[in-house]
PDB file of all heavy atoms in Angstrom:
ATOM      1  N   ALA A1050      -1.958  -2.264  23.960  1.00  0.00           N
ATOM      2  CA  ALA A1050      -0.513  -2.069  23.997  1.00  0.00           C
ATOM      3  C   ALA A1050       0.099  -3.156  24.866  1.00  0.00           C
ATOM      4  O   ALA A1050      -0.602  -3.873  25.587  1.00  0.00           O
ATOM      5  CB  ALA A1050      -0.186  -0.686  24.544  1.00  0.00           C
ATOM      6  N   THR A1051       1.417  -3.297  24.785  1.00  0.00           N
ATOM      7  CA  THR A1051       2.093  -4.284  25.613  1.00  0.00           C
ATOM      8  C   THR A1051       3.443  -3.743  26.051  1.00  0.00           C
ATOM      9  O   THR A1051       4.052  -2.939  25.352  1.00  0.00           O
ATOM     10  CB  THR A1051       2.296  -5.605  24.859  1.00  0.00           C
ATOM     11  OG1 THR A1051       2.903  -6.563  25.731  1.00  0.00           O
ATOM     12  CG2 THR A1051       3.209  -5.432  23.651  1.00  0.00           C
ATOM     13  N   ALA A1052       3.886  -4.198  27.208  1.00  0.00           N
ATOM     14  CA  ALA A1052       5.220  -3.850  27.695  1.00  0.00           C
ATOM     15  C   ALA A1052       6.164  -5.042  27.570  1.00  0.00           C
ATOM     16  O   ALA A1052       7.332  -4.959  27.935  1.00  0.00           O
ATOM     17  CB  ALA A1052       5.142  -3.398  29.150  1.00  0.00           C
ATOM     18  N   GLU A1053       5.650  -6.148  27.059  1.00  0.00           N
ATOM     19  CA  GLU A1053       6.427  -7.371  26.946  1.00  0.00           C
ATOM     20  C   GLU A1053       7.159  -7.379  25.622  1.00  0.00           C
ATOM     21  O   GLU A1053       6.544  -7.327  24.550  1.00  0.00           O
ATOM     22  CB  GLU A1053       5.502  -8.592  27.032  1.00  0.00           C
ATOM     23  CG  GLU A1053       6.226  -9.922  26.935  1.00  0.00           C
ATOM     24  CD  GLU A1053       5.268 -11.105  26.960  1.00  0.00           C
ATOM     25  OE1 GLU A1053       4.046 -10.865  27.039  1.00  0.00           O
ATOM     26  OE2 GLU A1053       5.736 -12.241  26.877  1.00  0.00           O
ATOM     27  N   ASN A1054       8.475  -7.449  25.655  1.00  0.00           N
ATOM     28  CA  ASN A1054       9.261  -7.423  24.429  1.00  0.00           C
ATOM     29  C   ASN A1054       9.647  -8.845  24.047  1.00  0.00           C
ATOM     30  O   ASN A1054      10.482  -9.463  24.693  1.00  0.00           O
ATOM     31  CB  ASN A1054      10.509  -6.554  24.597  1.00  0.00           C
ATOM     32  CG  ASN A1054      11.122  -6.186  23.250  1.00  0.00           C
ATOM     33  OD1 ASN A1054      10.981  -6.923  22.278  1.00  0.00           O
ATOM     34  ND2 ASN A1054      11.789  -5.050  23.192  1.00  0.00           N
ATOM     35  N   VAL A1055       9.005  -9.357  22.974  1.00  0.00           N
ATOM     36  CA  VAL A1055       9.285 -10.721  22.528  1.00  0.00           C
ATOM     37  C   VAL A1055       9.721 -10.746  21.066  1.00  0.00           C
ATOM     38  O   VAL A1055       9.705 -11.791  20.430  1.00  0.00           O
ATOM     39  CB  VAL A1055       8.051 -11.632  22.717  1.00  0.00           C
ATOM     40  CG1 VAL A1055       7.688 -11.746  24.171  1.00  0.00           C
ATOM     41  CG2 VAL A1055       6.869 -11.113  21.898  1.00  0.00           C
ATOM     42  N   ALA A1056      10.093  -9.604  20.511  1.00  0.00           N
ATOM     43  CA  ALA A1056      10.418  -9.525  19.088  1.00  0.00           C
ATOM     44  C   ALA A1056      11.577 -10.441  18.750  1.00  0.00           C
ATOM     45  O   ALA A1056      12.632 -10.403  19.392  1.00  0.00           O
ATOM     46  CB  ALA A1056      10.758  -8.088  18.706  1.00  0.00           C
ATOM     47  N   ALA A1057      11.386 -11.294  17.762  1.00  0.00           N
ATOM     48  CA  ALA A1057      12.422 -12.207  17.295  1.00  0.00           C
ATOM     49  C   ALA A1057      13.064 -11.657  16.028  1.00  0.00           C
ATOM     50  O   ALA A1057      12.425 -10.970  15.249  1.00  0.00           O
ATOM     51  CB  ALA A1057      11.830 -13.586  17.023  1.00  0.00           C
ATOM     52  N   ASP A1058      14.336 -11.973  15.825  1.00  0.00           N
ATOM     53  CA  ASP A1058      15.052 -11.501  14.648  1.00  0.00           C
ATOM     54  C   ASP A1058      14.916 -12.545  13.547  1.00  0.00           C
ATOM     55  O   ASP A1058      15.828 -13.314  13.262  1.00  0.00           O
ATOM     56  CB  ASP A1058      16.519 -11.249  14.979  1.00  0.00           C
ATOM     57  CG  ASP A1058      17.252 -10.562  13.838  1.00  0.00           C
ATOM     58  OD1 ASP A1058      16.567 -10.029  12.952  1.00  0.00           O
ATOM     59  OD2 ASP A1058      18.494 -10.568  13.849  1.00  0.00           O
ATOM     60  N   GLY A1059      13.738 -12.604  12.924  1.00  0.00           N
ATOM     61  CA  GLY A1059      13.465 -13.599  11.902  1.00  0.00           C
ATOM     62  C   GLY A1059      14.027 -13.212  10.556  1.00  0.00           C
ATOM     63  O   GLY A1059      14.488 -12.089  10.337  1.00  0.00           O
ATOM     64  N   ILE A1060      13.982 -14.165   9.630  1.00  0.00           N
ATOM     65  CA  ILE A1060      14.499 -13.922   8.285  1.00  0.00           C
ATOM     66  C   ILE A1060      13.711 -12.806   7.604  1.00  0.00           C
ATOM     67  O   ILE A1060      14.250 -12.025   6.824  1.00  0.00           O
ATOM     68  CB  ILE A1060      14.437 -15.224   7.456  1.00  0.00           C
ATOM     69  CG1 ILE A1060      15.388 -16.266   8.069  1.00  0.00           C
ATOM     70  CG2 ILE A1060      14.820 -14.978   5.999  1.00  0.00           C
ATOM     71  CD1 ILE A1060      15.317 -17.625   7.397  1.00  0.00           C
ATOM     72  N   CYS A1061      12.428 -12.726   7.905  1.00  0.00           N
ATOM     73  CA  CYS A1061      11.593 -11.703   7.272  1.00  0.00           C
ATOM     74  C   CYS A1061      11.646 -10.363   7.994  1.00  0.00           C
ATOM     75  O   CYS A1061      10.830  -9.492   7.745  1.00  0.00           O
ATOM     76  CB  CYS A1061      10.140 -12.186   7.178  1.00  0.00           C
ATOM     77  SG  CYS A1061       9.778 -12.969   5.595  1.00  0.00           S
ATOM     78  N   GLY A1062      12.584 -10.207   8.894  1.00  0.00           N
ATOM     79  CA  GLY A1062      12.810  -8.898   9.479  1.00  0.00           C
ATOM     80  C   GLY A1062      12.015  -8.631  10.737  1.00  0.00           C
ATOM     81  O   GLY A1062      10.853  -8.981  10.846  1.00  0.00           O
ATOM     82  N   SER A1063      12.646  -7.998  11.704  1.00  0.00           N
ATOM     83  CA  SER A1063      12.002  -7.568  12.938  1.00  0.00           C
ATOM     84  C   SER A1063      12.358  -6.110  13.164  1.00  0.00           C
ATOM     85  O   SER A1063      13.455  -5.661  12.820  1.00  0.00           O
ATOM     86  CB  SER A1063      12.490  -8.409  14.126  1.00  0.00           C
ATOM     87  OG  SER A1063      12.090  -7.823  15.353  1.00  0.00           O
ATOM     88  N   LEU A1064      11.412  -5.365  13.756  1.00  0.00           N
ATOM     89  CA  LEU A1064      11.713  -3.974  14.096  1.00  0.00           C
ATOM     90  C   LEU A1064      12.421  -3.876  15.441  1.00  0.00           C
ATOM     91  O   LEU A1064      12.860  -2.801  15.837  1.00  0.00           O
ATOM     92  CB  LEU A1064      10.419  -3.149  14.128  1.00  0.00           C
ATOM     93  CG  LEU A1064       9.601  -3.124  12.834  1.00  0.00           C
ATOM     94  CD1 LEU A1064       8.497  -2.075  12.926  1.00  0.00           C
ATOM     95  CD2 LEU A1064      10.467  -2.897  11.618  1.00  0.00           C
ATOM     96  N   GLY A1065      12.482  -4.991  16.162  1.00  0.00           N
ATOM     97  CA  GLY A1065      13.205  -5.004  17.429  1.00  0.00           C
ATOM     98  C   GLY A1065      12.409  -4.548  18.625  1.00  0.00           C
ATOM     99  O   GLY A1065      12.955  -4.383  19.709  1.00  0.00           O
ATOM    100  N   TYR A1066      11.104  -4.351  18.445  1.00  0.00           N
ATOM    101  CA  TYR A1066      10.253  -3.857  19.528  1.00  0.00           C
ATOM    102  C   TYR A1066       8.944  -4.636  19.560  1.00  0.00           C
ATOM    103  O   TYR A1066       8.508  -5.188  18.547  1.00  0.00           O
ATOM    104  CB  TYR A1066       9.916  -2.373  19.332  1.00  0.00           C
ATOM    105  CG  TYR A1066      11.096  -1.443  19.288  1.00  0.00           C
ATOM    106  CD1 TYR A1066      11.716  -1.154  18.075  1.00  0.00           C
ATOM    107  CD2 TYR A1066      11.588  -0.842  20.456  1.00  0.00           C
ATOM    108  CE1 TYR A1066      12.806  -0.294  18.013  1.00  0.00           C
ATOM    109  CE2 TYR A1066      12.669   0.016  20.405  1.00  0.00           C
ATOM    110  CZ  TYR A1066      13.269   0.279  19.191  1.00  0.00           C
ATOM    111  OH  TYR A1066      14.339   1.138  19.135  1.00  0.00           O
ATOM    112  N   SER A1067       8.312  -4.665  20.737  1.00  0.00           N
ATOM    113  CA  SER A1067       6.942  -5.174  20.885  1.00  0.00           C
ATOM    114  C   SER A1067       6.133  -4.085  21.570  1.00  0.00           C
ATOM    115  O   SER A1067       6.282  -3.852  22.772  1.00  0.00           O
ATOM    116  CB  SER A1067       6.917  -6.460  21.704  1.00  0.00           C
ATOM    117  OG  SER A1067       7.583  -7.500  21.035  1.00  0.00           O
ATOM    118  N   PHE A1068       5.280  -3.413  20.801  1.00  0.00           N
ATOM    119  CA  PHE A1068       4.456  -2.334  21.339  1.00  0.00           C
ATOM    120  C   PHE A1068       2.992  -2.734  21.473  1.00  0.00           C
ATOM    121  O   PHE A1068       2.247  -2.096  22.214  1.00  0.00           O
ATOM    122  CB  PHE A1068       4.537  -1.099  20.436  1.00  0.00           C
ATOM    123  CG  PHE A1068       5.905  -0.467  20.364  1.00  0.00           C
ATOM    124  CD1 PHE A1068       6.480  -0.178  19.136  1.00  0.00           C
ATOM    125  CD2 PHE A1068       6.615  -0.159  21.510  1.00  0.00           C
ATOM    126  CE1 PHE A1068       7.725   0.419  19.060  1.00  0.00           C
ATOM    127  CE2 PHE A1068       7.866   0.436  21.451  1.00  0.00           C
ATOM    128  CZ  PHE A1068       8.426   0.719  20.212  1.00  0.00           C
TER     129      PHE A1068
END
Side-chain angles (χ1 to χ4, degrees):
T1051 183
E1053 180 183 1
N1054 196 332
V1055 297
D1058 188 16
I1060 295 175
C1061 266
S1063 168
L1064 302 190
Y1066 300 90
S1067 295
F1068 295 130

